[in-house]
Amino acid sequence: MCTTCGCGQGETRIEGEHALEHRHADGTVHSHPHDHSDPHEHEHGHGDGHHVHSHAHGHDHHDLHFGRGPAAAHAPGLSQTRMVQIEQDILAKNDALAAAIRQRLAERGVFAVNLVSSPGSGKTTLLVKTIEALHGRREVVVIEGDQETSHDADRIRATGARALQVNTGKGCHLDADMVGRALERLAPPAGSVLMIENVGNLVCPAGFDLGEAHKVIVLSVTEGEDKPLKYPDLFRRSTLMLLNKIDLLPYVEFDVARCLGYARRVNPEIGVIELSATRGQGMDEWLAWIEGGVLAAQGALSRARR
């Protein structure tokens, strides 16, 4: 489960598997109600990470802040200490599985990327264009994460690439157990590129390592330039930001310089590529970044075999 929103208590469905279930990182299966209680019910409780903000920063002197406690989150009926303990337990199991995935991929020189973004940022279109551009040069295999449908996996398969759909049900992100089970079916060949398209969400994917070499966040100019400040965890944990749909800049109010400034305020080391997946602008730089990652994975494998 995710202690921030209670997700992961629904059903996970991986293509080719008959059971409808949710498996936690330790392999157990659970099904519980999805509780999103109204936070305003606890407006006066200050001991569980919930604060009524009455100071002079911000425009509203009565803003509500649920992320001020040690857990940096709020869940009705759970203390901050208990939330921290639950999260540590879950992430420890997830991270152990992710480490095993990373080792398995490293032993085959597979370069893995975890693509994260809001819904509608253009991740799937970017993947389609990337696969087409790499055709004959690098094999790309794809794990597609969505709550329901196989629409995105079908789009990927239409390019001739192998893809597996993972439907998370009520879950709002992929975890290492889901990815590991998908990899058993996909078996990426040595020297290939594994693209993991995470569920569209700028919150929960930040906390879950999937065994990838890099998290890459896709932000489109049809969103807002302040996204890095609103959702700092994901930007902080990402190696690269792809600023997508730049062909639409003449038609939207989006300050590129301000957006990049915000991203680097959160993560001074983040790389940035401005591109348009539909028009091809910036795609050469993106493809070169991928090729560099593949060569690094192969170099590490070569050194390990000496």
Side-chain angles (χ1 to χ4, degrees), residues 94-278:
N94 182 85
D95 290 350
L97 290 171
I101 290 170
R102 186 171 287 109
Q103 180 63 29
R104 189 191 326 170
L105 296 175
E107 289 171 353
R108 299 189 60 77
V110 175
F111 179 56
V113 174
N114 181 4
L115 284 176
V116 291
S117 78
S118 302
S121 67
K123 292 193 304 296
T124 309
T125 297
L126 174 67
L127 277 176
V128 167
K129 297 297 184 181
T130 300
I131 292 165
E132 291 173 349
L134 291 174
H135 181 70
R137 296 161 51 192
R138 297 287 180 193
E139 181 172 352
V140 181
V141 295
V142 179
I143 296 174
E144 279 289 343
D146 276 304
Q147 289 189 308
E148 291 295 342
T149 82
S150 63
H151 293 172
D152 287 351
D154 291 340
R155 287 180 62 188
I156 298 299
R157 287 190 282 252
T159 69
R162 291 188 299 123
L164 190 70
Q165 185 72 48
V166 177
N167 288 140
T168 61
K170 293 180 181 179
C172 59
H173 58 85
L174 296 175
D175 62 31
D177 178 60
M178 299 174 192
V179 170
R181 291 159 63 193
L183 286 175
E184 290 174 3
R185 304 182 64 85
L186 276 175
S192 63
V193 178
L194 171 65
M195 290 287 182
I196 305 168
E197 183 177 350
N198 219 316
V199 180
N201 180 359
L202 287 178
V203 182
C204 298
F208 286 80
D209 185 358
L210 304 182
E212 73 273 12
H214 299 283
K215 278 186 176 67
V216 173
I217 189 160
V218 183
L219 176 66
S220 72
V221 302
T222 55
E223 299 174 65
E225 64 255 12
D226 59 352
K227 283 292 191 293
L229 297 184
K230 288 184 173 182
Y231 304 95
D233 283 355
L234 201 50
F235 284 85
R236 191 174 294 120
R237 295 172 188 240
S238 296
T239 304
L240 179 69
M241 178 175 79
L242 300 179
L243 186 59
N244 194 22
K245 304 186 183 182
I246 60 171
D247 55 300
L248 298 181
L249 281 172
Y251 312 105
V252 295
E253 294 184 4
F254 187 94
D255 190 324
V256 173
R258 180 174 295 173
C259 177
L260 301 189
Y262 289 155
R264 287 172 176 144
R265 183 190 303 179
V266 170
N267 179 0
E269 304 301 321
I270 197 167
V272 176
I273 297 176
E274 300 175 32
L275 56 77
S276 167
T278 57

Side-chain angles (χ1 to χ4, degrees), residues 25-45:
D26 61 357
T28 57
V29 180
H30 292 282
S31 178
H32 301 286
H34 193 62
D35 184 0
H36 282 274
S37 300
D38 184 357
H40 295 277
E41 294 175 359
H42 302 279
E43 183 171 347
H44 299 291

